[in-house]
Amino acid sequence: MTILLTWPEGTWPAVSFVMPVLNERPYLADAVAAVLGQDYPGETELVLALGPSNDGTTELAEQLAATEPRLRLVHNPVAHIPVALNLAIAASRNPVVIRVDAHSEIPPGYARTGVETLRTTGAANCGGIMAATGRGPYQSAVARAYNSPLGLGGGAYHGGTEAGECESAYLGIFRREILTEVGGYDESVRRGEDWELNLRIRERGYLVWFTPELRVTYWPRDTRKRLSKQFWSTGVWRGDLVRGLATRTPLRFFAPPALVAGLGASAAVATVDRVRPLRGPTRVLRAAHLVPLAYAGFLALVAGREEGSARQKALLAEVIATMHLSWGAGFLSGVTRGGGQTVDRSRH
């Protein structure tokens, strides 16, 4: 593992924040304020890569930029996140690049902690916790699902407590020279672009580091329709990545597609059994019905562990099922047909 040379103690390299933006008017002003209000001793700038929004986001961004010299805008007509990030990085100037999102808010000491982490570890990239939070019943339930290891799985950035080497970093605080060396974000990967980029960084022998002190407030999707669209597209592109990276993909990513396949098998067996009842050895196929029974038990267990009313618990179970099934179905589509022209339309 290559440990990179670092900046002398007491010096603070200039930092460029880069933010892809599409239809984020309700969140953009707070996200920008959180970046520009950083308690960081060095020079900072923020570059927004503006997609073709239809909710007034671009007009708001222009208003903000008109009064803030540290804020600059670039346009991203194709709307894809990796393209937006590469455009913003190309337009930025500083040796440390910090990815931020309009759907997130970073704490005041985020940049300081991130640069200090790069300094002390010699890492090429570092990140921390995605601390999901919500407004209203549905978004709050989605946030609880994000923050539960039984909702999104075992990624460190959903609830890790120990600092250390990791496979991918949430958002990311990068050394510019490493981004340049590995070629930036792969613009053919529409979702999961962060995981793919960090894989290339690690394959070059560099360190990717997780530290729980880097805690970011994340506002997840706030309706069932938006959530299912987001997780479908994410699943599709994860499946597409697996086509070439199956042996380097953590096993937890295969759980949702296995669930969807099992539920599909149960439905198929039930249909056949109704048309022509299974007899003899073929009755063993009814074992497929254990999948929906086991999953229902899993959802009941997860909901039962959560505090709140019966309605809140039921909503949490529904949200987790939406995440798992949308992601798993998307994964199966991606692994069999590729990503194609699939895009995340949850913010359109």
Side-chain angles (χ1 to χ4, degrees):
M1 186 67 67
T2 301
I3 303 300
L4 294 167
L5 295 176
T6 191
W7 307 280
E9 189 70 33
T11 64
W12 297 95
V15 166
S16 295
F17 294 90
V18 295
M19 181 189 295
V21 180
L22 177 67
N23 288 329
E24 296 286 7
R25 186 175 178 87
Y27 300 95
L28 181 62
D30 288 341
V32 168
V35 171
L36 297 179
Q38 285 292 291
D39 173 22
Y40 185 71
E43 177 188 343
T44 64
E45 66 173 355
L46 169 59
V47 182
L48 304 185
L50 301 174
S53 297
N54 55 22
D55 69 343
T57 293
T58 298
E59 292 77 9
L60 175 58
E62 290 170 346
Q63 293 171 17
L64 296 171
T67 60
E68 175 50 71
R70 291 177 295 165
L71 177 59
R72 293 187 292 117
L73 310 178
V74 296
H75 290 279
N76 172 32
V78 299
H80 304 319
I81 291 175
V83 175
L85 288 167
N86 284 341
L87 286 170
I89 291 167
S92 68
R93 300 169 293 209
N94 295 328
V96 175
V97 176
I98 301 181
R99 175 183 173 174
V100 288
D101 280 350
H103 235 55
S104 303
E105 294 173 27
I106 58 175
Y110 187 79
R112 181 192 288 265
T113 299
V115 169
E116 188 62 26
T117 299
L118 294 182
R119 188 202 312 274
T120 57
T121 64
N125 180 27
C126 66
I129 296 286
M130 173 196 280
T133 190
R135 301 166 178 153
Y138 194 84
Q139 192 180 45
S140 296
V142 177
R144 292 201 304 275
Y146 263 85
N147 295 332
S148 168
L150 300 177
L152 284 188
Y157 55 82
H158 291 302
T161 58
E162 297 293 330
E165 185 178 352
C166 59
E167 68 182 43
S168 185
Y170 175 54
L171 298 179
I173 300 173
F174 300 89
R175 298 174 187 255
R176 175 182 290 275
E177 69 270 23
I178 304 304
L179 282 175
T180 301
E181 179 182 331
V182 301
Y185 288 90
D186 185 339
E187 296 182 4
S188 70
V189 179
R190 305 288 171 79
R191 299 290 293 178
E193 73 285 341
D194 48 355
W195 186 87
E196 191 278 335
L197 171 61
N198 282 290
L199 175 63
R200 282 186 281 126
I201 290 173
R202 290 187 290 112
E203 287 182 335
R204 292 290 184 99
Y206 299 117
L207 183 65
V208 178
W209 193 263
F210 167 78
T211 179
E213 285 74 26
L214 292 169
R215 189 174 183 87
V216 181
T217 297
Y218 171 74
W219 299 96
R221 302 302 188 267
D222 56 3
T223 68
R224 184 182 303 106
K225 183 177 181 180
R226 289 178 177 177
L227 184 68
S228 61
K229 284 183 176 181
Q230 178 195 22
F231 273 72
W232 162 267
S233 62
T234 303
V236 167
W237 284 102
R238 177 63 65 181
D240 181 79
L241 281 174
V242 165
R243 288 156 65 95
L245 301 171
T247 59
R248 287 171 284 178
T249 301
L251 289 177
R252 67 177 184 275
F253 290 119
F254 294 95
L259 168 66
V260 171
L263 294 176
S266 175
V269 169
T271 300
V272 171
D273 211 4
R274 266 198 310 270
V275 174
R276 187 171 182 176
L278 299 173
R279 293 184 174 86
T282 60
R283 287 182 297 179
V284 72
L285 295 175
R286 291 173 181 161
H289 300 323
L290 294 174
V291 176
L293 289 173
Y295 190 60
F298 165 79
L299 292 175
L301 174 64
V302 173
R305 291 176 51 173
E306 291 289 320
E307 297 181 356
S309 66
R311 181 180 179 184
Q312 290 172 321
K313 292 181 178 183
L315 187 56
L316 175 63
E318 177 197 322
V319 163
I320 289 177
T322 298
M323 288 178 169
H324 290 170
L325 299 180
S326 298
W327 199 97
F331 182 99
L332 292 175
S333 175
V335 82
T336 54
R337 300 189 300 175
Q341 298 302 311
T342 301
V343 296
D344 179 7
R345 299 191 180 278
S346 62
R347 292 179 182 164
H348 290 257

